[in-house]
Amino acid sequence: MNNIKNINQKDVIIALDFPGKADVLNFLDCFPADERLFVKIGMELFYAEGPEIINLIRRRGHSIFLDLKLHDIPNTVKKTMAVLSGLDVDMVNLHASGGSAMMRAALDGFTRPDGTRALIIAVTQLTSTDGDMLKNELLIEKNMTETVLKYAENAARSGLDGVVCSPLEAMDIKKALGDKFLTVTPGIRFASDDTKDDQKRIMTPKRAAVSGCDYIVVGRPVTQAAEPLKAYRQCRMDFMGY
Ligand code: C5P
């Protein structure tokens, strides 16, 4: 059994989609100093600031999902995951469309010599992809649910801990792959939000709570809110009940 870091079973993950450190610190300063958050560092922030941004956020006591969505040949992903295993994060990810061999190699590379590792999950289909795009651009003949389920099954068989999917697919994944297989779901919007932005497959935090989502990933509805703390608290209340 791998020694996996202890984080809450259910949580709201805030996507820190900011161009650099100054904006991140400004945003984090909206929260009480002793509030422990679960945040997501994506490509924009990581490529701008490098690994030091992880240490900075960690020093404030927050949990971190490093969302770099790796997708390359198995050997390259394995070696890159070995590098990421040296960073102090709680969760990393890759694209399930890279295939099972790539996912197994990733897991291998990410597991430290002493057997410890953080969580590793696979992106199924982006929440900005809809059925039309799946069929007409990606030329995938199966429907969205079938495609996402198959990718999730591949991830589970490869030994991964869960998937990134839309909240619309979370329940089917839980039913097929069991409660322990994690569902991490972006595409969250409040009922009052008048824009979906670029997201297509969306749900409110309240509905996500009863839809088999373990973690919801929320970006703009919190980061761009007039009062980010209030928006975050509302999100937690809706999703977690406290
Ligand atoms: O601002 P918004 O709530 O749409 O942000 C969602 C976040 O989740 C973004 O950082 C995006 O990169 C990420 N994400 C996603 N869909 C996926 C995987 C990650 O929206 N399938």
Side-chain angles (χ1 to χ4, degrees), residues 74-129:
N75 184 53
T76 302
V77 169
K78 178 178 172 173
K79 291 195 294 179
T80 307
M81 280 291 179
V83 175
L84 298 188
S85 76
L87 303 178
D88 192 10
V89 298
D90 302 276
M91 189 185 280
V92 298
N93 66 353
L94 42 64
H95 271 287
S97 54
S100 298
M102 187 201 79
M103 290 193 271
R104 286 194 303 272
L107 187 62
D108 195 18
F110 196 54
T111 306
R112 301 183 194 101
D114 66 358
T116 63
R117 65 172 174 84
L119 295 169
I120 175 166
I121 61 173
V123 177
T124 52
Q125 281 292 339
L126 296 172
T127 40
S128 53
T129 304

Side-chain angles (χ1 to χ4, degrees), residues 15-17 40 42-43 65 67 69 93 123-128 164-166 186-189 196-199 217-221 223:
L16 296 180
D17 293 328
K40 180 172 87 67
M43 289 183 256
F65 168 19
D67 177 22
K69 297 189 183 71
N93 66 353
V123 177
T124 52
Q125 281 292 339
L126 296 172
T127 40
S128 53
V164 184
C165 60
S166 133
I188 300 295
R189 290 294 179 271
K196 296 191 332 190
D197 303 303
D198 49 351
Q199 298 285 13
V217 178
V218 190
R220 287 160 288 188
T223 57

Side-chain angles (χ1 to χ4, degrees), residues 13 36 49 56 92 97 108 148 151 154 189 191 229 239 242:
I13 301 177
R36 297 289 171 257
E49 298 290 349
L56 184 74
V92 298
S97 54
D108 195 18
V148 168
Y151 285 19
N154 293 345
R189 290 294 179 271
L229 178 60
F239 182 61
Y242 60 91

Side-chain angles (χ1 to χ4, degrees), residues 204-219:
T204 63
K206 236 180 214 157
R207 281 201 54 213
V210 292
S211 298
C213 307
D214 294 299
Y215 298 96
I216 55 171
V217 178
V218 190

